[in-house]
Amino acid sequence: MPGRPDDPTVRLERWDGPVASDDPDANFKREVAAYSQQDPLFTLRNMARNLDLPVGALARYVLAKWAAAGSEALLELGPSVVDRMSAAIAQAEEAGSEAARLEAYEQLRQVISWLRIPLDDPDVNPAGGA
Protein backbone atom coordinates (compact mmCIF):
# COMPACT_ATOMS: atom_id res chain seq x y z
CA MET A 1 0.00 0.00 0.00
CA PRO A 2 1.53 3.36 -0.98
CA GLY A 3 1.93 6.12 1.58
CA ARG A 4 -0.90 8.47 2.42
CA PRO A 5 -0.87 12.16 1.47
CA ASP A 6 -0.62 13.19 5.13
CA ASP A 7 2.39 10.95 5.87
CA PRO A 8 5.30 13.10 7.09
CA THR A 9 8.53 13.31 5.17
CA VAL A 10 11.82 13.41 7.08
CA ARG A 11 15.19 14.29 5.62
CA LEU A 12 17.94 12.18 7.18
CA GLU A 13 20.82 14.57 7.65
CA ARG A 14 24.25 14.42 9.16
CA TRP A 15 25.04 16.79 12.01
CA ASP A 16 28.35 17.33 13.75
CA GLY A 17 27.73 20.18 16.12
CA PRO A 18 29.00 22.38 17.49
CA VAL A 19 28.22 21.35 21.07
CA ALA A 20 29.02 23.80 23.84
CA SER A 21 30.82 22.18 26.77
CA ASP A 22 28.39 23.77 29.25
CA ASP A 23 25.30 22.59 27.35
CA PRO A 24 23.22 20.44 29.74
CA ASP A 25 22.38 18.17 26.79
CA ALA A 26 25.98 17.94 25.52
CA ASN A 27 26.31 14.16 26.01
CA PHE A 28 23.16 13.47 24.02
CA LYS A 29 24.14 15.95 21.29
CA ARG A 30 27.58 14.32 20.97
CA GLU A 31 25.87 10.95 20.47
CA VAL A 32 23.60 12.51 17.83
CA ALA A 33 26.68 13.89 16.09
CA ALA A 34 28.39 10.48 16.16
CA TYR A 35 25.41 8.39 15.07
CA SER A 36 24.20 10.85 12.44
CA GLN A 37 27.36 10.19 10.44
CA GLN A 38 26.23 6.59 9.80
CA ASP A 39 23.77 5.46 7.15
CA PRO A 40 20.80 3.96 9.02
CA LEU A 41 19.14 3.00 5.77
CA PHE A 42 21.77 0.34 5.09
CA THR A 43 20.21 -1.90 7.74
CA LEU A 44 16.65 -0.89 6.90
CA ARG A 45 17.15 -1.60 3.18
CA ASN A 46 18.40 -5.11 3.96
CA MET A 47 15.52 -5.75 6.37
CA ALA A 48 13.01 -4.40 3.86
CA ARG A 49 14.33 -6.67 1.16
CA ASN A 50 14.42 -9.73 3.42
CA LEU A 51 10.99 -9.12 4.95
CA ASP A 52 9.32 -7.73 1.82
CA LEU A 53 8.36 -4.50 3.59
CA PRO A 54 8.73 -0.86 2.53
CA VAL A 55 11.81 0.90 3.92
CA GLY A 56 9.61 3.80 5.02
CA ALA A 57 7.35 1.48 7.02
CA LEU A 58 10.37 0.05 8.84
CA ALA A 59 11.76 3.54 9.50
CA ARG A 60 8.39 4.63 10.87
CA TYR A 61 8.25 1.49 13.05
CA VAL A 62 11.74 2.09 14.47
CA LEU A 63 11.06 5.76 15.20
CA ALA A 64 7.61 5.14 16.70
CA LYS A 65 8.85 2.30 18.87
CA TRP A 66 11.83 4.33 20.09
CA ALA A 67 9.73 7.41 20.84
CA ALA A 68 6.99 5.41 22.56
CA ALA A 69 9.50 3.61 24.75
CA GLY A 70 10.40 6.90 26.46
CA SER A 71 13.07 6.63 29.10
CA GLU A 72 13.78 2.97 28.37
CA ALA A 73 14.91 3.85 24.86
CA LEU A 74 16.89 6.87 26.02
CA LEU A 75 18.72 4.87 28.66
CA GLU A 76 19.63 2.25 26.06
CA LEU A 77 21.61 4.92 24.22
CA GLY A 78 24.31 4.55 26.82
CA PRO A 79 25.16 5.19 30.43
CA SER A 80 25.59 8.95 30.08
CA VAL A 81 22.16 9.78 31.54
CA VAL A 82 22.64 7.46 34.51
CA ASP A 83 26.18 8.79 35.01
CA ARG A 84 24.88 12.37 34.98
CA MET A 85 22.23 11.53 37.58
CA SER A 86 24.72 9.67 39.77
CA ALA A 87 27.24 12.51 39.58
CA ALA A 88 24.63 15.03 40.74
CA ILE A 89 23.89 12.91 43.81
CA ALA A 90 27.57 12.25 44.56
CA GLN A 91 28.43 15.97 44.34
CA ALA A 92 25.57 16.84 46.68
CA GLU A 93 26.57 14.20 49.21
CA GLU A 94 30.20 15.31 49.07
CA ALA A 95 29.20 18.94 49.68
CA GLY A 96 26.89 17.80 52.48
CA SER A 97 24.74 20.91 52.45
CA GLU A 98 21.02 21.40 51.99
CA ALA A 99 21.73 23.82 49.12
CA ALA A 100 23.81 21.18 47.32
CA ARG A 101 21.06 18.59 47.79
CA LEU A 102 18.47 21.01 46.42
CA GLU A 103 20.70 21.67 43.42
CA ALA A 104 21.04 17.91 42.83
CA TYR A 105 17.29 17.53 43.16
CA GLU A 106 16.78 20.19 40.50
CA GLN A 107 19.25 18.46 38.16
CA LEU A 108 17.52 15.11 38.67
CA ARG A 109 14.11 16.70 38.19
CA GLN A 110 15.22 18.16 34.85
CA VAL A 111 16.68 14.86 33.62
CA ILE A 112 13.57 12.91 34.63
CA SER A 113 11.34 15.54 33.05
CA TRP A 114 13.34 15.20 29.81
CA LEU A 115 13.09 11.39 29.93
CA ARG A 116 9.33 11.55 30.46
CA ILE A 117 8.58 13.79 27.47
CA PRO A 118 7.60 10.92 25.15
CA LEU A 119 5.67 9.18 27.94
CA ASP A 120 3.61 12.25 28.80
CA ASP A 121 2.78 13.23 25.21
CA PRO A 122 -0.70 11.90 24.33
CA ASP A 123 0.17 11.98 20.62
CA VAL A 124 3.04 9.55 21.23
CA ASN A 125 1.69 7.58 24.18
CA PRO A 126 -2.13 7.55 24.31
CA ALA A 127 -1.97 5.83 27.73
CA GLY A 128 -0.42 9.04 29.11
CA GLY A 129 2.41 7.44 31.02
CA ALA A 130 0.24 4.79 32.63
Side-chain angles (χ1 to χ4, degrees), residues 28-98:
F28 181 74
K29 289 180 179 180
R30 285 186 193 103
E31 286 189 15
V32 169
Y35 280 95
S36 73
Q37 303 308 308
Q38 299 176 19
D39 178 10
L41 294 181
F42 176 80
T43 300
L44 293 181
R45 282 188 209 99
N46 288 335
M47 286 180 68
R49 184 183 64 248
N50 293 336
L51 298 171
D52 193 27
L53 291 168
V55 172
L58 286 172
R60 189 176 184 123
Y61 162 79
V62 168
L63 291 169
K65 186 169 181 170
W66 185 83
S71 60
E72 175 187 338
L74 292 172
L75 290 175
E76 287 178 9
L77 290 174
S80 61
V81 174
V82 174
D83 287 347
R84 183 172 165 199
M85 293 170 73
S86 180
I89 293 167
Q91 289 171 358
E93 291 303 315
E94 185 176 314
S97 70
E98 189 65 24

